[in-house]
Structure formats: C-alpha cells, structure tokens
Amino acid sequence: MLTSAGKAAAMDLCLHLVRLDHGSGVANAVARRLVVPPHRDGGQAQFVPSPVPVRDDHPLTALFPWVMERLDQPLTVEDLARRARMSSRNLGRHFRAVTGTTPLQWLLTQRIRRAQELLETSDEGVDAIAAATGMGTATTLRRHFNRTVGVPPDTYRRTFRSPPRPGS
C-alpha cells in the first residue's frame, strides 16, 4: 500500500508508480508534460522541453530530421543552409519564423536535449556524451548545459535517473 498527503505528494507518488511500471524515460516524459520535477529534492529547476516544429509543407521540414541524425558532427549555419537549399540569411528568417530562434541556438538546444536524454538513459561519461552530442569536450558540454538547464550534467543525471530497483 502506498499513500501520500497533499497534491504535490500525490503527483510524486504517481510518478513513482509510472517509473516502477514503465521506467524512468516514461516517468520523466510525464513529469515534463505535467511541468513538475520527476524527483523533488527542494529548489528544483523545471525542465520543460519545447518540441521541434514540423509542418509537411515547410521548406525546413526535411532539415530537422537530417540535423538530428548528425548532432555528433560539426555543423555550421552554412551546412544547414546548403542542405535546405537556401541562403544562410533566408535560412535564418525561416528558422526564426518557425522556431522563434536562430539556427545555431536551435542546434545548441537540440544538442543539450540529446545530452539530457543520454544522461537519463545511459551510463556514458560526460566525455562520451560531449562527443555524441557534438559538443567536443566535457568542459564545453558542462558550460553550455549548466547555462541552459541551470544545473551541471551530473546533478541533472542524479535528478532524472531512477534509483535502482530492488533486486536489479
């Protein structure tokens, strides 16, 4: 029997049950959707993803998945513009209209999101995650991650990883 007292505790309990039944990835997605932290230790920052906008008829539709498959590679605005078959300036206008940000800021955000996913679901070290996300070095990843998310990667991992299940 599990019990809770109050609304916030009830949410914590529900997320705990989701985590036990479906794993930390699903529980973290539910927590983000509800705009609540998956584990509350006090003073917790909110981690809310913003989706990649995609419309079938937009000139950038094919670019988004192409970039997502290459986050580990060095990419420039010129690379993105060439792939989208437009000038860098036109790409910037389209990006701003669709995502509300610049191509480089969007790319950085996607790399940070990939780092978050890897921190939540893998045991890879920060160096390997930096390489897998195109950040190059652990120092660069830590700097951008902390500035963007508000906590260092190690703290994020501890917050968003499920504790080991008994008998695991």
Side-chain angles (χ1 to χ4, degrees):
M1 178 184 293
L2 301 172
T3 63
S4 65
K7 292 177 186 176
M11 286 295 240
D12 293 342
L13 178 59
C14 289
L15 289 172
H16 172 71
L17 293 172
V18 170
R19 190 172 294 101
L20 290 177
D21 290 345
H22 302 285
S24 64
V26 172
N28 292 342
V30 169
R32 285 190 188 109
R33 176 114 183 166
L34 296 172
V35 192
V36 297
H39 304 284
R40 288 188 308 141
D41 294 328
Q44 183 66 45
Q46 295 293 322
F47 303 99
V48 182
S50 56
V52 175
V54 178
R55 278 186 4 231
D56 289 340
D57 62 340
H58 197 277
L60 299 182
T61 300
L63 182 64
F64 293 127
W66 182 85
V67 171
M68 297 304 287
E69 292 172 8
R70 291 162 180 78
L71 288 179
D72 62 328
Q73 300 172 19
L75 295 170
T76 64
V77 172
E78 290 75 25
D79 295 331
L80 275 60
R82 190 171 25 263
R83 180 66 185 187
R85 295 188 177 119
M86 58 180 67
S87 70
S88 298
R89 194 169 163 181
N90 196 26
L91 177 75
R93 282 194 292 270
H94 279 287
F95 250 88
R96 174 85 52 200
V98 172
T99 68
T101 190
T102 66
L104 285 181
Q105 186 58 49
W106 179 86
L107 180 59
L108 176 62
T109 300
Q110 300 316 306
R111 288 182 164 152
I112 295 294
R113 287 198 185 116
R114 176 72 53 85
Q116 288 174 302
E117 176 186 332
L118 292 171
L119 288 165
E120 293 171 14
T121 61
S122 79
D123 292 323
E124 294 289 335
V126 176
D127 285 311
I129 292 173
T133 59
M135 293 289 200
T137 68
T139 302
T140 300
L141 173 61
R142 283 186 182 101
R143 184 177 66 247
H144 286 296
F145 196 95
N146 199 10
R147 190 182 72 226
T148 302
V149 180
V151 296
D154 294 335
T155 301
Y156 183 89
R157 175 174 267 165
R158 281 192 306 274
T159 301
F160 281 91
R161 289 289 296 253
S162 293
R165 294 170 82 159
S168 298

